[in-house]
């Protein structure tokens, strides 16, 4: 075997070894998307919140306390005096991995999602205001958590 043939054989062997070291994954890369399970958890969160509002202030406040993200429970939070109904626009639901709650440096544990909502406030059954904005929901251990609308 000549010098040239030996080099060619070594080059081919090295090329095969390098190719074997790399890994390929079948499929097409896509941006992360909200899954159907995550979408259902968010939908159920808002349905429960609105059902609790229909049962009264204390029921809704209890649900808000139970679904407050465990890393951001604040005993000084004064909830609104009435109830709120929240209508999410689910077509706007998206991941928001960089979000932190206002005034906080920590990112919540879990999958952070944001959705556009229409929030309507009621006192003693009378609508007192409506606002369009966005609301963050965090999915953690198979449960949806929010951030209670504390009165300022």
């Amino acid at each position: 075997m000549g010098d040239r043939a030996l080099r060619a054989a070594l080059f081919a062997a090295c090329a095969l070894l390098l190719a074997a070291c790399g890994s390929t994954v079948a499929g097409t890369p896509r941006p992360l998307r909200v899954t159907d399970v995550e979408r259902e958890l968010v939908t159920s969160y808002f349905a429960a919140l609105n059902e609790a509002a229909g049962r009264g202030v204390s029921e809704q406040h209890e649900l808000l306390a139970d679904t407050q993200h465990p890393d951001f429970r604040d005993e000084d939070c004064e909830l609104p005096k009435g109830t709120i109904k929240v209508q999410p626009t689910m077509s706007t639901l998206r991941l928001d991995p960089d979000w932190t709650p206002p005034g906080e440096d920590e990112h919540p544990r879990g999958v952070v999602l944001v959705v556009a909502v229409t929030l309507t406030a009621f006192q003693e059954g009378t609508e007192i205001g409506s606002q369009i904005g966005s609301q963050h929901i965090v999915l953690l251990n198979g449960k949806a958590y929010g951030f209670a609308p504390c009165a300022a």
Side-chain angles (χ1 to χ4, degrees):
M1 191 183 259
D3 198 29
R4 190 176 229 186
L6 183 59
R7 280 190 213 166
L10 283 172
F11 178 77
C14 286
L16 285 172
L17 285 173
L18 287 174
C21 291
S23 64
T24 59
V25 177
T28 305
R30 296 175 206 233
L32 293 175
R33 293 192 180 148
V34 177
T35 68
D36 290 340
V37 170
E38 292 167 334
R39 185 174 302 282
E40 180 57 35
L41 286 169
V42 172
T43 300
S44 296
Y45 171 84
F46 287 115
L49 183 65
N50 292 333
E51 288 169 12
R55 292 189 300 271
V57 175
S58 63
E59 292 277 340
Q60 189 173 50
H61 285 188
E62 185 177 318
L63 180 74
L64 285 168
D66 289 346
T67 59
Q68 180 75 5
H69 191 284
D71 294 347
F72 297 92
R73 291 195 169 135
D74 183 359
E75 295 177 20
D76 296 332
C77 177
E78 183 181 330
L79 293 170
K81 304 222 181 293
T83 59
I84 55 171
K85 291 222 175 175
V86 184
Q87 181 60 45
T89 304
M90 293 302 290
S91 62
T92 68
L93 183 66
R94 67 187 187 284
L95 297 166
D96 194 1
D98 297 325
W99 180 79
T100 57
E104 297 288 340
D105 295 331
E106 282 185 61
H107 183 276
R109 286 181 298 134
V111 176
V112 179
L113 302 155
V114 63
V115 64
V117 297
T118 301
L119 185 140
T120 306
F122 295 87
Q123 276 189 341
E124 298 176 9
T126 301
E127 182 179 328
I128 60 168
S130 188
Q131 180 176 331
I132 295 173
S134 59
Q135 186 164 350
H136 284 87
I137 302 296
V138 177
L139 307 179
L140 179 64
N141 298 327
K143 184 174 178 181
Y145 292 96
F147 298 86
C150 298

